[in-house]
Amino acid sequence: MDRSEERGADVDLQAQIEEIEALSSIYADEWCVIDEAARVFCIRVSDDTQQPKWTVCLQIILPPDYPSSAPPVYQINAGWLRGADRMNLSNSLEEIYVENTGESILYLWVEKIREFLVEKSQSADGPEMSKTVTTEEEGHEYDEDDLPDYSVLKLTNQTAQLFSSASDDEELPLIKHGETITDRRSTFQPHLAAVVTPKQVQRVLNHLYENKKIASATHNIYAYRIYCEDKNSFLQDCEDDGETAAGGRLLHLLQILDVRNVLVVVSRWYGGILLGPDRFKHINNCARNILIQEGYTDTSEEAAKAGGKNKRPKGKKVK
């Protein structure tokens, strides 16, 4: 690197430091440092700071040559933001970068997202807990033969009614957090709760999303299975949260291990390097580890199940 390049890098670094200090001051608790050394940050953006209806988390990675010659790497995290809405918002952010090349643009991005959310809150009701399962992921490859049967993942009317009719004062289950797995700057962490109703699933998810770091994850993938003894059947569902096919694979793992009355969430913080199929391995390994940790299964039973032996659906083992 010659002297002119060194000076340019110093200028970029100083610009980043000043911009981060300004954003931290402006947005206070909404601003979160994920990895300062790797220049990974996130900010929670809502349509209303007092009574938010629509919220997204903007995760950003600042490359060394931002803002002089490269844009921030960004990910918009919101389970409800899909299709045309996501595309339109992304296009708006990219237009801002093109119009302000060489300048610090994060404040403009945040306020554009807030403007988008305000407009949406004025024209629509709050986000719904929709369940969308897709079987293709743009830009990534995976073994289609390894995918579970997606016909079992649809939210049934019975499940939807249980979500809406459960009492608001239902007890929040104890939530356990597992050990992280890190690979090429992506970090995965599992969370687990014992649940017996879909309403408890909702309460656990809401509580997890109140944690600023969990809410800032690039993906929060989850799956649950609830055994209904009176009908000898399962209520089960999953969510990819943008990591296509991951929720289905996670639910498939719960089915293989034959566990019941449990919700498993795996948070992934993307580090800027594509992992390919390895991301599915890490998601399922995280889930398997916390299930073993909390006594829902053990390594010997996993081996038996891998060999095709079926056992009665079970919940947590009594230690």
Side-chain angles (χ1 to χ4, degrees), residues 127-175:
E128 297 179 355
M129 284 288 295
S130 60
K131 298 283 184 283
T132 302
V133 175
T134 57
T135 56
E136 296 180 0
E137 182 176 7
E138 296 180 0
H140 301 292
E141 295 181 356
Y142 48 83
D143 183 1
E144 292 183 358
D145 293 335
D146 194 34
L147 294 178
D149 179 6
Y150 287 95
S151 64
V152 304
L153 308 185
K154 297 179 180 178
L155 185 66
T156 64
N157 290 333
Q158 179 189 30
T159 307
Q161 291 169 2
L162 286 170
F163 264 111
S164 61
S165 62
S167 61
D168 292 333
D169 59 352
E170 190 158 357
E171 181 181 358
L172 174 67
L174 179 64
I175 302 173

Side-chain angles (χ1 to χ4, degrees), residues 212-224:
K212 186 164 58 174
K213 186 164 186 179
I214 293 175
S216 73
T218 313
H219 310 289
N220 282 302
I221 304 113
Y222 69 82
Y224 67 88

Side-chain angles (χ1 to χ4, degrees), residues 173-176 191-195 200 204 261-265 296:
L174 179 64
I175 302 173
K176 299 295 186 70
H191 322 280
L192 177 149
V195 294
Q200 287 185 327
V204 171
N261 298 339
V262 65
L263 163 70
V264 177
V265 182
Y296 283 83

Side-chain angles (χ1 to χ4, degrees), residues 25-267:
S25 175
I26 293 169
Y27 297 112
D29 291 340
E30 294 180 325
W31 178 262
C32 179
V33 178
I34 301 298
D35 187 335
E36 189 166 12
R39 317 302 285 168
V40 184
F41 308 91
C42 73
I43 181 167
R44 190 181 182 95
V45 189
S46 303
D47 60 321
D48 188 306
T49 56
Q50 300 301 319
Q51 294 182 320
K53 183 189 297 183
W54 299 89
T55 300
V56 305
C57 285
L58 175 66
Q59 181 177 320
I60 53 172
I61 303 174
L62 302 181
D65 46 357
Y66 166 82
S68 64
S69 58
V73 178
Y74 74 93
Q75 172 78 38
I76 302 172
N77 303 326
W80 57 267
L81 185 61
R82 303 179 186 278
D85 279 346
R86 180 176 286 274
M87 183 178 298
N88 291 338
L89 182 55
S90 297
N91 289 341
S92 295
L93 300 187
E94 288 158 14
E95 287 173 5
I96 288 174
Y97 171 73
V98 171
E99 293 169 358
N100 299 273
T101 301
E103 300 178 14
S104 299
I105 59 167
L106 295 183
Y107 176 80
L108 297 177
W109 274 10
V110 172
E111 292 309 308
K112 171 56 71 173
I113 292 173
R114 196 182 307 279
E115 177 185 316
F116 169 84
L117 296 176
V118 169
E119 291 176 356
K120 193 163 187 64
S121 70
Q122 294 171 348
S123 61
D125 294 330
E128 297 179 355
M129 284 288 295
S130 60
K131 298 283 184 283
T132 302
V133 175
T134 57
T135 56
E136 296 180 0
E137 182 176 7
E138 296 180 0
H140 301 292
E141 295 181 356
Y142 48 83
D143 183 1
E144 292 183 358
D145 293 335
D146 194 34
L147 294 178
D149 179 6
Y150 287 95
S151 64
V152 304
L153 308 185
K154 297 179 180 178
L155 185 66
T156 64
N157 290 333
Q158 179 189 30
T159 307
Q161 291 169 2
L162 286 170
F163 264 111
S164 61
S165 62
S167 61
D168 292 333
D169 59 352
E170 190 158 357
E171 181 181 358
L172 174 67
L174 179 64
I175 302 173
K176 299 295 186 70
H177 307 281
E179 296 293 323
T180 61
I181 293 175
T182 300
D183 180 11
R184 285 164 281 178
R185 292 167 48 183
S186 279
T187 298
F188 303 77
Q189 184 180 26
H191 322 280
L192 177 149
V195 294
V196 293
T197 69
K199 182 64 177 181
Q200 287 185 327
V201 172
Q202 185 69 67
R203 288 214 59 189
V204 171
L205 293 174
N206 290 344
H207 187 76
L208 286 173
Y209 296 152
E210 289 173 6
N211 181 295
K212 186 164 58 174
K213 186 164 186 179
I214 293 175
S216 73
T218 313
H219 310 289
N220 282 302
I221 304 113
Y222 69 82
Y224 67 88
R225 300 187 83 212
I226 298 172
Y227 183 59
C228 303
E229 292 186 0
D230 57 336
K231 297 183 178 179
N232 193 30
S233 63
F234 283 91
L235 290 174
Q236 54 189 12
D237 212 336
C238 66
E239 171 58 39
D240 296 331
D241 195 25
E243 186 72 284
T244 305
R249 289 168 180 259
L250 182 55
L251 179 56
H252 190 50
L253 175 69
L254 301 187
Q255 294 168 337
I256 290 173
L257 297 180
D258 212 11
V259 296
R260 64 179 178 183
N261 298 339
V262 65
L263 163 70
V264 177
V265 182
V266 178
S267 302

